[in-house]
Amino acid sequence: MKIKILTLFPKMFEGIINESIIKRAIDKEVCEIELIDMRDYSLDKHHHVDDTPCGGGAGMVLACDVVDRAIKANKGNSAHVILTTPQGIKYDQKVAYRLAKEEELLIVCGHYEGFDERIRSYVDEEISIGDYVLTGGEIAAMAISDSVIRLLDKAIRKESYMDDSFSNGLLEYPQYTRPISYNGENVPEVLLSGNHKLIERFRKKESLRKTLLRRPDLLENYKLSKEEAILLEEIKGELKWKNLEYYYIFPHFHLNTV
Ligand code: ADE
């Protein structure tokens, strides 16, 4: 996959492309990231890319002609063009899987003070990474690139993300490693039993438990298998016993939700 990023701040990306899994993916030619400075498409001799808002008001607005030229020069035949903005569709793992199927992405980083509304019509979709406002679209572009690249063939082992939170619609089960006992807290015995069936059951149950307690909204759209329905009933029974304890761990969940 090729990811081209149109930005006013290419240096911001140095960290993610030179470290860890993304760097390895680039080195292994699983993906290529090209950083494109939008200023290169300004016709102004001072390379201005923004101007004052029509109608008055504070701040500067990213100009549509600069972005249009930059997109046209870099889109090629097949790139899927994304604009990062808090007004876009909310990004999630499903969108990451969908984008991972594209051959080429062109991500246009929204401007920290605003952009000309006409820019919206130059892109295939607008994406927000959450209901908060960043100083610019660069961090959103990094989050999208990172989450898409790790899904590409050979970026990481498939087993490493099959059980990820959200991949199957549930939060991931809890993980442990040595030391087995630490500060009076022990690794659950079943994980040391070597019994793969029991371990699988434990993980499924704890994944359901976490989802029920932390993200009950995810369960609303999740189709439970017969085994999962039984496990969920077991969990609800256990939680009734421990209601108060869980209420104090997650006080924002009302007792009657479990
Ligand atoms: N630019 C500023 N805030 C953003 C957000 N939440 N998502 C995507 N782009 C943004």
Side-chain angles (χ1 to χ4, degrees):
M1 167 181 272
K2 179 152 191 171
I3 303 180
K4 292 182 174 176
I5 299 173
L6 282 183
T7 171
L8 295 172
F9 305 103
K11 280 197 186 140
M12 279 180 77
F13 292 83
E14 279 171 14
I16 77 152
I17 62 177
N18 289 310
E19 295 286 347
S20 187
I21 289 169
I22 306 302
K23 177 178 174 10
R24 240 185 298 145
I26 294 169
D27 291 346
K28 286 196 286 186
E29 296 181 4
V30 169
C31 71
E32 195 185 324
I33 295 186
E34 189 182 343
L35 299 167
I36 300 152
D37 193 333
M38 266 192 274
R39 281 177 223 281
D40 294 345
Y41 295 90
S42 166
L43 301 181
D44 183 279
K45 70 171 175 195
H46 299 295
H47 299 290
H48 286 137
V49 292
D50 49 14
D51 209 336
T52 52
C54 296
M60 298 291 275
V61 177
L62 183 62
C64 61
D65 61 315
V66 176
V67 178
D68 188 33
R69 277 192 293 277
I71 292 176
K72 281 188 177 136
N74 291 287
K75 184 175 150 74
N77 294 329
S78 60
H80 181 71
V81 186
I82 296 165
L83 174 66
T84 54
T85 157
Q87 295 183 15
I89 59 152
K90 215 189 253 182
Y91 193 62
D92 63 16
Q93 192 65 20
K94 268 201 199 120
V95 180
Y97 275 110
R98 170 165 64 75
L99 297 181
K101 292 192 189 121
E102 297 284 345
E103 246 168 53
E104 188 167 324
L105 299 177
L106 175 59
I107 307 180
V108 183
C109 299
H111 189 249
Y112 47 105
E113 283 180 333
F115 51 81
D116 191 302
E117 188 70 13
R118 288 167 286 187
I119 292 172
R120 296 191 195 279
S121 64
Y122 311 153
V123 304
D124 295 315
E125 67 177 323
E126 301 173 31
I127 293 181
S128 162
I129 59 162
D131 290 346
Y132 44 83
V133 180
L134 298 160
T135 55
E138 279 71 18
I139 290 174
M142 286 181 214
I144 294 167
S145 307
D146 183 283
S147 53
V148 166
I149 290 169
R150 68 190 288 284
L151 297 178
L152 299 177
D153 258 0
K154 303 200 182 88
I156 55 177
R157 282 181 306 143
K158 204 165 184 172
E159 312 85 73
S160 304
Y161 64 77
M162 291 239 303
D163 290 330
D164 276 352
S165 292
F166 312 112
S167 290
N168 61 2
L170 300 175
L171 297 184
E172 192 184 6
Y173 50 78
Q175 300 259 40
Y176 299 86
T177 186
R178 270 155 280 276
I180 303 302
S181 185
Y182 186 70
N183 277 350
E185 282 194 286
N186 297 328
V187 173
E189 247 169 58
V190 60
L191 298 179
L192 311 170
S193 68
N195 184 328
H196 296 295
K197 260 205 159 148
L198 281 183
I199 292 172
E200 203 184 308
R201 186 180 191 278
F202 168 85
R203 287 182 166 160
K204 176 58 82 183
K205 186 169 173 180
E206 295 316 306
S207 165
L208 284 163
R209 190 192 310 273
K210 272 214 166 162
T211 311
L212 177 68
L213 287 169
R214 295 178 173 222
R215 292 292 304 276
D217 57 304
L218 294 177
L219 279 177
E220 276 163 31
N221 301 317
Y222 185 80
K223 205 165 170 352
L224 293 166
S225 68
K226 258 194 194 151
E227 189 208 359
E228 287 168 339
I230 293 167
L231 290 174
L232 197 60
E233 282 314 304
E234 268 183 40
I235 294 164
K236 286 182 178 170
E238 290 163 17
L239 289 176
K240 277 203 187 102
W241 275 100
K242 296 189 182 172
N243 239 346
L244 278 177
E245 186 183 323
Y246 279 99
Y247 183 68
Y248 286 117
I249 299 173
F250 303 107
H252 49 295
F253 287 116
H254 287 289
L255 291 176
N256 61 10
T257 62
V258 290

